[in-house]
Amino acid sequence: MHLSVRPATEDDCKLIFDWANEPEVRNASFYTEKIEWPKHVSWFLQKLNDPNSLILIFEVDGLNAGQIRFDRNGEYFEIDYSIDINYRGKGLGKSIVSLGISKINSQFKKTIKILAKVKKGNSISAKVFRNLGFKELNLVNGDYEFKYE
Ligand SMILES: CC(C)(COP(=O)(O)OP(=O)(O)OC[C@H]1O[C@@H](n2cnc3c(N)ncnc32)[C@H](O)[C@@H]1OP(=O)(O)O)[C@@H](O)C(=O)NCCC(=O)NCCS
């Protein structure tokens, strides 16, 4: 299994749309409504051109397997990530977050502070950040915040 990473391009618009609307991904998001195509297109093009965002696509043996988006939020970059349904539970979550962090660090030529907000009940995602040594903060409403600095 060979894992590689590349920056997202305009050609990935539909791929990211389909991943974002997959039910478990919507359920794990803080905004759970289905995403509409026209809104997605303008949002995606704006993100691609935003110097404060970075979208990475991860491939396993040349096939699209997951994505990470980093968005600047104050002094941190906040992570959004997901693995294609066919590739979950194989340890890829941890690998893509770790590879994604080294990519963003090399892009900005410094150690970037990372923030991950994880919804209550998403113990698999919480485990990914815990296993990578993120500092954990359990919020009163049951959500988690993880920081890496
Ligand atoms: C969260 C997500 C990215 C994790 O990626 P993944 O590749 O499936 O996760 P991994 O295989 O790396 O597993 C992470 C940990 O959870 C455990 N795990 C994975 N699937 C599991 C399952 N179905 N039940 C229980 N534990 C599970 C793994 O054993 C691993 O722990 P370990 O390293 O201590 O053994 C993926 O499940 C996903 O895309 N979910 C929907 C979107 C989402 O939740 N995004 C994150 C928003 S914060």
Side-chain angles (χ1 to χ4, degrees):
M1 187 166 100
H2 178 254
L3 178 66
S4 58
V5 58
R6 61 178 179 82
T9 69
E10 288 186 16
D11 293 344
D12 296 307
C13 194
K14 177 71 164 59
L15 173 71
I16 295 282
F17 175 75
D18 290 341
W19 276 341
N21 273 327
E22 189 274 311
E24 273 187 58
V25 173
R26 290 279 24 91
N27 189 40
S29 303
F30 289 90
Y31 173 78
T32 52
E33 298 296 305
K34 187 179 180 296
I35 296 163
E36 303 296 335
W37 175 250
K39 267 196 183 159
H40 171 74
V41 174
S42 53
W43 170 88
F44 183 69
L45 295 179
Q46 181 255 316
K47 283 286 167 200
L48 281 185
N49 290 308
D50 185 345
N52 288 315
S53 291
L54 175 67
I55 307 180
L56 300 171
I57 306 287
F58 295 84
E59 296 181 348
V60 169
D61 299 332
L63 298 174
N64 298 317
Q67 62 84 32
I68 292 187
R69 193 181 73 252
F70 294 98
D71 289 315
R72 195 191 286 273
N73 176 352
E75 58 172 330
Y76 289 88
F77 272 80
E78 190 170 334
I79 281 193
D80 169 285
Y81 78 125
S82 58
I83 301 286
D84 183 283
I85 196 162
N86 297 308
Y87 289 89
R88 288 183 197 153
K90 302 175 192 296
L92 271 178
K94 191 173 166 183
S95 306
I96 73 159
V97 171
S98 156
L99 187 50
I101 292 174
S102 41
K103 274 280 158 199
I104 194 166
N105 284 343
S106 63
Q107 176 134 337
F108 286 89
K109 298 188 177 65
K110 63 175 185 177
T111 303
I112 296 292
K113 293 182 179 180
I114 308 287
L115 167 69
K117 292 181 180 169
V118 178
K119 237 166 95 173
K120 179 179 173 178
N122 194 349
S123 55
I124 299 178
S125 182
K127 216 170 181 189
V128 167
F129 295 111
R130 224 172 264 141
N131 288 349
L132 286 169
F134 277 62
K135 227 170 32 189
E136 179 170 354
L137 183 66
N138 297 307
L139 305 182
V140 278
N141 65 358
D143 293 341
Y144 316 82
E145 254 185 33
F146 291 90
K147 286 181 173 174
Y148 194 85
E149 38 197 34

